[in-house]
Amino acid sequence: MSFKERAKAVIEEITADADWIREPIVGFADTASPKIRSLKTSVSENHLLPEEVLPQATIILSYFLPFTREAGECNREGTEPSKQWADLYNATNALIAEINTALAAELRNAGIPAEIPAGGFDTDSLMSRWSQRHIAEAAGLGTFGRNNMLITRAGSMGRFGSVITALREPADSPVTEELCLGKAGKNCTACIDRCPTGALKTDGFDRKACYAVCLKAEKELGADVCGKCTVAVPCAVKENNR
C-alpha cells in the first residue's frame, strides 16, 4: 500500500463519525515544483517554504475534506454566516488537527521525517503564512474559482489540511483543466452574486471587506467564517468526485 492510500484510510477512519464530511481526496505536491518555489511571490513574501519547516522536505501531503450538500444548507439563507456553519468549521478544524497528528505519527513510525506546518495569519497583509489552498493546488487537487476557493473534483465546499514529509513517492501534477465555470467562459457568477459584501468581483477580490465579515463572525459565533460564496453554487459539491 502506498502512503497516499494509507493516508486516505487514516483520514476516513478519523472522519467516520463526521456525517458532514464526504470521501476525502489526497494529493502529493513536489517541494521542488514551480508552484511551491514561487509561494513567496504568488501568495505572500512571508509565506513559509517547506524546507523552513522540514529541511529535508520532498513531498507535501495535502488533503481535502469535502462537505455534504446538506451541510451547506445551514448557511444558505441570510447575509451573515449561521451559528451551525461556524460550529462545523470549528469541528472540522479539530478533525484536521487530529488527522495531521496521526499522519505525522504514521510517517515517523516508518522512519520518514514529517512536520505539521504552523503557518499563521498575517493580519496586516490578510494573507496566510501557509496557504492550504495554494498547497492543494500544487498537489493537483484543483483550480481556483472566482470565489478565491480551490475547486476540487469533489467541489469547493470543505476544508484542506497538509503535512510536510520526506517521502520518496511520486508527486501529483497540478490540474490543467479549468474547473471554475465562470473562468472557463461559461455564464456563471453564482459566487459573486451570493457574496453579501460585494468583496467578490469578476476582476478582483476585496480582501478587507471579506475579512471584516469574518472578524464579526469570530466575535459573535466563535469562528472567523462567512462561506456564503461556497454554498448553493454549482461548484460547491460535485457528486461522485466528478
Side-chain angles (χ1 to χ4, degrees), residues 26 44 50 53 60 65 79 119 134 164 181 193 195 198 213 228 231 235 237 240:
V26 179
S44 166
V53 181
I60 306 171
L65 305 179
T79 59
H134 284 83
I164 302 172
L181 294 176
D193 297 340
C195 178
V213 174
K228 293 296 182 180
V231 305
C235 67
V237 175
N240 299 318

Side-chain angles (χ1 to χ4, degrees), residues 18-143:
D19 59 6
W20 67 94
I21 292 175
R22 296 182 292 132
E23 181 181 353
I25 304 174
V26 179
F28 284 174
D30 186 341
T31 59
S33 72
K35 285 191 179 294
I36 296 299
R37 302 325 306 165
S38 65
L39 286 169
K40 287 187 181 293
T41 53
S42 62
V43 182
S44 166
E45 63 181 9
N46 294 321
H47 197 289
L48 293 171
L49 291 176
E51 62 269 22
E52 294 179 75
V53 181
L54 181 69
Q56 62 271 57
T58 54
I59 291 287
I60 306 171
L61 187 161
S62 175
Y63 60 90
F64 180 56
L65 305 179
F67 286 6
T68 63
R69 194 177 301 278
E70 291 73 22
E73 288 300 307
C74 74
N75 200 39
R76 175 191 284 266
E77 303 301 328
T79 59
E80 296 188 356
S82 71
K83 179 62 167 65
Q84 187 178 349
W85 183 257
D87 290 344
L88 286 179
Y89 177 90
N90 286 332
T92 308
N93 280 353
L95 288 173
I96 288 172
E98 185 178 351
I99 289 167
N100 288 348
T101 299
L103 291 176
E106 287 272 340
L107 287 158
R108 291 167 186 158
N109 289 341
I112 301 168
E115 291 293 341
I116 302 166
F121 186 72
D122 187 330
T123 54
D124 291 325
S125 65
L126 303 185
M127 299 292 287
S128 172
R129 295 189 69 232
W130 186 261
S131 172
Q132 298 290 357
R133 288 170 292 157
H134 284 83
I135 298 300
E137 180 193 27
L141 294 191
T143 64

